[in-house]
Amino acid sequence: MFRTEIHRAFFNKLFLLSLAIGCAIAVAHIFQFVIPDMAEEGLYGEEWPRSAFTRWMGAWGYPIHIELFYFLTPILAALPFGWSLCSDSKSGYLNQIYTRGRRGRYLAAKALALFVSGGTAVAVPLIVNFVGTACVLPMILPDPVGIGYFMVLPMSFLGELYFENALLYNLAYYGIIFLAGGLMALLAIPLSLPLSNKILAVFAPFAVCTLLAQFTTEGPYYSFAPTTFMRPGQDYGYLLPDQVLAFCMVVAVAAGISCWFLSRKDYVS
């Protein structure tokens, strides 16, 4: 069952479409921002050299490609497989699973496939962008001496690691990005319960995450929104682990209750 759901999540056209959209934004950023940067003088401010660690999409607050990517991440995360629960219900596939008494395994496999596919769809474009940026600009390590040129500060979350080993910092944040993408995709499970339309099921996490970002970005709870805490540059404020953990718990509980409710149903219409 797990292998089947993972295969369905990764080997479908919508997963490829999600990757294509994300990677297109990442590559456009390289050609429209990074490469022109390389053509300019080797120093900005005549004090600190340009670097892949300061110019990739995760470490800079502009241009438009970056905001567009993070704005679309809930859709990119849910598009690969967020529609599947509604689709299985309408097609009768869910009734077959329930008849065979494999509800728990199916729902666990569905949640795992959603989480992994969503995390992958969001993380891969940023990995592509960093690798592409590193092919154009040198990987000059950040130094506290040039602190005014970096989005991340020593007092930021993992800030000391950033200045000690920037590549390890990036790897750690890829894990956070993967977590954010997986959680946004998991939102499709509780949001699919009141919805019977596959398109609405895919866009519902986007609506929730957009509202969260709108109401938390300017306040003390900015790390509660996944589209905010997944930014390696921490340009909206330092990541607060307790708020990230709270969001994880909310999504986990909502998905768990929804799966429990679905497992208790005698039939699926």
Side-chain angles (χ1 to χ4, degrees), residues 196-239:
S196 59
N197 185 285
K198 294 188 291 184
I199 297 177
L200 292 179
V202 169
F203 281 90
F206 170 76
V208 170
C209 292
T210 300
L211 287 174
L212 275 177
Q214 181 69 29
F215 288 106
T216 62
T217 298
E218 301 299 330
Y221 302 105
Y222 53 82
S223 288
F224 191 74
T227 52
T228 301
F229 74 67
M230 69 181 292
R231 295 171 178 252
Q234 303 185 51
D235 43 324
Y236 280 98
Y238 311 147
L239 183 147

Coordinates of all heavy atoms in Angstrom, one line a residue, residues 196-239:
S196 N -15.6 18.3 -2.2 CA -15.8 17.1 -3.1 C -15.2 17.4 -4.5 O -15.4 16.7 -5.4 CB -17.2 16.8 -3.2 OG -18.0 17.9 -3.7
N197 N -14.4 18.5 -4.6 CA -13.8 18.9 -5.8 C -12.3 18.8 -5.8 O -11.7 19.4 -4.8 CB -14.3 20.3 -6.2 CG -13.9 20.8 -7.5 OD1 -12.7 21.1 -7.7 ND2 -14.8 20.8 -8.5
K198 N -11.7 18.2 -6.7 CA -10.3 18.0 -6.7 C -9.5 19.3 -6.8 O -8.5 19.5 -6.1 CB -9.8 17.1 -7.8 CG -10.3 15.6 -7.7 CD -9.7 14.7 -8.8 CE -10.2 15.1 -10.2 NZ -9.6 14.1 -11.2
I199 N -10.0 20.2 -7.6 CA -9.4 21.5 -7.8 C -9.4 22.3 -6.5 O -8.4 22.9 -6.0 CB -10.0 22.3 -8.9 CG1 -9.9 21.6 -10.2 CG2 -9.4 23.7 -9.0 CD1 -10.5 22.3 -11.4
L200 N -10.6 22.3 -5.8 CA -10.7 23.0 -4.5 C -9.8 22.4 -3.5 O -9.2 23.1 -2.6 CB -12.1 23.0 -4.0 CG -13.1 23.8 -4.8 CD1 -14.5 23.6 -4.2 CD2 -12.7 25.3 -4.9
A201 N -9.6 21.1 -3.5 CA -8.7 20.4 -2.5 C -7.3 20.8 -2.7 O -6.5 20.9 -1.7 CB -8.9 18.9 -2.7
V202 N -6.9 21.1 -3.9 CA -5.5 21.5 -4.2 C -5.3 22.9 -3.8 O -4.2 23.3 -3.2 CB -5.2 21.3 -5.7 CG1 -3.9 22.0 -6.1 CG2 -5.1 19.8 -6.1
F203 N -6.3 23.8 -4.0 CA -6.1 25.2 -3.7 C -6.5 25.6 -2.3 O -6.1 26.7 -1.8 CB -6.9 26.0 -4.7 CG -6.3 26.2 -6.0 CD1 -6.6 25.3 -7.1 CD2 -5.4 27.3 -6.3 CE1 -6.0 25.4 -8.3 CE2 -4.8 27.4 -7.5 CZ -5.1 26.5 -8.6
A204 N -7.1 24.7 -1.6 CA -7.5 25.0 -0.2 C -6.3 25.2 0.7 O -6.3 26.2 1.5 CB -8.4 23.9 0.4
P205 N -5.2 24.4 0.6 CA -4.0 24.7 1.4 C -3.4 26.1 1.1 O -2.9 26.8 2.0 CB -3.0 23.6 1.1 CG -3.9 22.5 0.7 CD -5.0 23.1 0.0
F206 N -3.5 26.5 -0.2 CA -3.0 27.8 -0.6 C -3.8 28.9 0.1 O -3.2 29.9 0.6 CB -3.1 28.0 -2.1 CG -2.9 29.4 -2.6 CD1 -1.6 29.8 -2.7 CD2 -3.9 30.2 -3.0 CE1 -1.3 31.1 -3.2 CE2 -3.7 31.5 -3.4 CZ -2.4 31.9 -3.5
A207 N -5.1 28.8 0.2 CA -5.9 29.8 0.9 C -5.6 29.8 2.3 O -5.5 30.9 2.9 CB -7.4 29.4 0.7
V208 N -5.5 28.7 3.0 CA -5.2 28.7 4.4 C -3.8 29.3 4.7 O -3.6 30.1 5.6 CB -5.2 27.2 5.0 CG1 -4.7 27.2 6.4 CG2 -6.6 26.7 4.9
C209 N -2.8 28.9 3.9 CA -1.4 29.4 4.2 C -1.3 30.9 3.9 O -0.6 31.7 4.5 CB -0.4 28.7 3.3 SG -0.2 26.9 3.8
T210 N -2.1 31.4 2.9 CA -2.1 32.8 2.5 C -2.7 33.6 3.6 O -2.2 34.7 4.0 CB -2.8 33.0 1.2 OG1 -2.2 32.3 0.1 CG2 -2.8 34.5 0.9
L211 N -3.8 33.1 4.2 CA -4.4 33.8 5.3 C -3.5 33.8 6.6 O -3.4 34.8 7.3 CB -5.8 33.1 5.7 CG -6.9 33.4 4.7 CD1 -8.1 32.5 5.0 CD2 -7.3 34.8 4.6
L212 N -2.9 32.7 6.8 CA -1.9 32.6 7.9 C -0.8 33.7 7.8 O -0.5 34.4 8.7 CB -1.3 31.2 8.0 CG -2.1 30.2 8.8 CD1 -1.4 28.8 8.7 CD2 -2.3 30.6 10.3
A213 N -0.2 33.7 6.6 CA 0.8 34.7 6.3 C 0.3 36.1 6.5 O 1.0 37.0 7.0 CB 1.4 34.4 5.0
Q214 N -0.9 36.3 6.0 CA -1.5 37.7 6.0 C -1.6 38.2 7.5 O -1.4 39.3 7.8 CB -2.8 37.7 5.3 CG -3.5 39.1 5.3 CD -2.7 40.1 4.4 OE1 -2.1 39.7 3.4 NE2 -2.8 41.3 4.7
F215 N -2.1 37.3 8.4 CA -2.4 37.7 9.7 C -1.3 37.5 10.7 O -1.4 37.9 11.9 CB -3.7 36.9 10.2 CG -4.9 37.4 9.5 CD1 -5.5 36.6 8.6 CD2 -5.5 38.6 9.8 CE1 -6.7 37.0 7.9 CE2 -6.7 39.0 9.2 CZ -7.3 38.2 8.2
T216 N -0.2 36.8 10.3 CA 0.9 36.6 11.3 C 2.2 37.3 10.9 O 3.0 37.5 11.8 CB 1.1 35.1 11.4 OG1 1.6 34.6 10.2 CG2 -0.1 34.3 11.9
T217 N 2.4 37.7 9.7 CA 3.7 38.2 9.3 C 4.1 39.5 10.0 O 5.2 39.6 10.4 CB 3.6 38.5 7.7 OG1 3.4 37.3 7.0 CG2 5.0 39.1 7.3
E218 N 3.1 40.4 10.3 CA 3.4 41.6 10.9 C 3.4 41.5 12.5 O 3.7 42.5 13.1 CB 2.5 42.7 10.5 CG 2.5 42.9 9.0 CD 3.9 43.4 8.5 OE1 4.6 44.1 9.3 OE2 4.2 43.1 7.3
G219 N 3.0 40.4 13.0 CA 2.9 40.3 14.5 C 3.9 39.4 15.1 O 4.9 39.0 14.4
P220 N 3.8 39.0 16.3 CA 4.8 38.2 17.0 C 4.7 36.7 16.6 O 5.6 36.0 17.1 CB 4.4 38.4 18.5 CG 2.9 38.6 18.5 CD 2.7 39.4 17.2
Y221 N 3.8 36.3 15.8 CA 3.6 34.9 15.4 C 4.0 34.6 14.0 O 3.4 33.8 13.3 CB 2.2 34.5 15.7 CG 1.7 34.7 17.1 CD1 0.9 35.7 17.5 CD2 2.2 33.8 18.1 CE1 0.5 35.9 18.8 CE2 1.8 34.0 19.5 CZ 1.0 35.1 19.8 OH 0.6 35.3 21.1
Y222 N 5.0 35.4 13.5 CA 5.3 35.3 12.0 C 5.9 33.9 11.7 O 5.8 33.5 10.5 CB 6.3 36.4 11.7 CG 7.5 36.5 12.5 CD1 8.6 35.6 12.3 CD2 7.6 37.4 13.5 CE1 9.7 35.7 13.1 CE2 8.7 37.5 14.4 CZ 9.8 36.7 14.1 OH 10.9 36.7 14.9
S223 N 6.4 33.2 12.7 CA 7.0 31.9 12.4 C 6.0 30.8 12.3 O 6.3 29.6 12.1 CB 8.1 31.5 13.4 OG 9.2 32.3 13.3
F224 N 4.7 31.1 12.5 CA 3.6 30.1 12.5 C 3.2 29.8 11.1 O 2.6 28.8 10.8 CB 2.4 30.6 13.3 CG 1.4 29.6 13.6 CD1 1.6 28.6 14.5 CD2 0.2 29.6 12.9 CE1 0.7 27.6 14.7 CE2 -0.8 28.6 13.1 CZ -0.5 27.6 14.0
A225 N 3.5 30.7 10.1 CA 3.1 30.5 8.7 C 4.2 29.8 8.0 O 5.4 30.2 8.0 CB 2.8 31.8 8.1
P226 N 3.9 28.7 7.3 CA 5.0 27.9 6.6 C 5.7 28.7 5.5 O 6.8 28.5 5.3 CB 4.2 26.7 6.1 CG 2.8 27.1 6.0 CD 2.6 28.0 7.2
T227 N 4.9 29.6 4.8 CA 5.5 30.3 3.8 C 6.5 31.4 4.3 O 7.2 32.0 3.5 CB 4.4 31.0 2.9 OG1 3.6 31.8 3.8 CG2 3.6 30.0 2.1
T228 N 6.5 31.6 5.6 CA 7.4 32.5 6.3 C 8.6 31.8 6.9 O 9.7 32.1 6.7 CB 6.7 33.4 7.3 OG1 5.6 34.1 6.7 CG2 7.7 34.3 8.0
F229 N 8.3 30.7 7.7 CA 9.4 30.1 8.4 C 10.3 29.2 7.5 O 11.4 28.8 7.9 CB 8.9 29.3 9.6 CG 8.2 28.0 9.3 CD1 8.9 26.9 8.8 CD2 6.9 27.8 9.6 CE1 8.2 25.7 8.5 CE2 6.2 26.6 9.4 CZ 6.9 25.5 8.9
M230 N 9.8 29.0 6.3 CA 10.7 28.2 5.3 C 11.7 29.0 4.6 O 12.5 28.5 3.9 CB 9.8 27.5 4.3 CG 9.1 28.5 3.3 SD 8.0 27.7 2.1 CE 9.2 26.7 1.2
R231 N 11.8 30.3 4.8 CA 12.7 31.2 4.1 C 14.1 31.1 4.8 O 14.2 31.6 6.0 CB 12.2 32.6 4.1 CG 10.9 32.8 3.3 CD 10.4 34.2 3.5 NE 9.2 34.5 2.7 CZ 9.2 35.3 1.6 NH1 10.3 35.9 1.3 NH2 8.1 35.5 1.0
P232 N 15.1 30.6 4.2 CA 16.5 30.5 4.8 C 17.0 31.9 5.1 O 17.8 32.0 6.1 CB 17.3 29.8 3.7 CG 16.3 29.1 2.9 CD 15.1 29.9 2.8
G233 N 16.6 32.9 4.4 CA 17.1 34.3 4.7 C 16.5 34.9 5.9 O 17.0 35.9 6.4
Q234 N 15.4 34.3 6.4 CA 14.8 34.8 7.6 C 14.5 36.3 7.5 O 14.7 37.0 8.5 CB 15.6 34.5 8.9 CG 15.9 33.0 9.0 CD 16.6 32.6 10.3 OE1 16.2 33.0 11.4 NE2 17.7 31.9 10.2
D235 N 14.1 36.7 6.3 CA 13.9 38.1 6.1 C 12.6 38.7 6.7 O 12.5 39.9 6.8 CB 13.9 38.4 4.6 CG 13.0 37.4 3.8 OD1 13.0 36.2 4.1 OD2 12.4 37.8 2.8
Y236 N 11.7 37.9 7.3 CA 10.6 38.4 8.0 C 10.8 38.4 9.5 O 10.0 38.8 10.3 CB 9.3 37.6 7.7 CG 8.7 38.0 6.4 CD1 8.9 37.3 5.2 CD2 7.9 39.1 6.3 CE1 8.3 37.6 4.0 CE2 7.3 39.5 5.1 CZ 7.5 38.7 4.0 OH 7.0 39.1 2.8
G237 N 12.0 37.9 9.9 CA 12.3 37.8 11.3 C 12.9 36.5 11.6 O 12.9 35.6 10.8
Y238 N 13.6 36.4 12.8 CA 14.2 35.1 13.1 C 13.2 34.0 13.3 O 12.2 34.2 13.9 CB 15.0 35.3 14.5 CG 15.9 36.5 14.5 CD1 16.1 37.2 15.7 CD2 16.5 37.0 13.4 CE1 16.9 38.3 15.8 CE2 17.3 38.1 13.4 CZ 17.5 38.8 14.6 OH 18.3 39.9 14.7
L239 N 13.6 32.8 12.8 CA 12.7 31.7 12.9 C 12.6 31.3 14.4 O 13.6 31.3 15.1 CB 13.3 30.5 12.2 CG 12.4 29.2 12.1 CD1 12.6 28.5 10.8 CD2 12.8 28.3 13.3

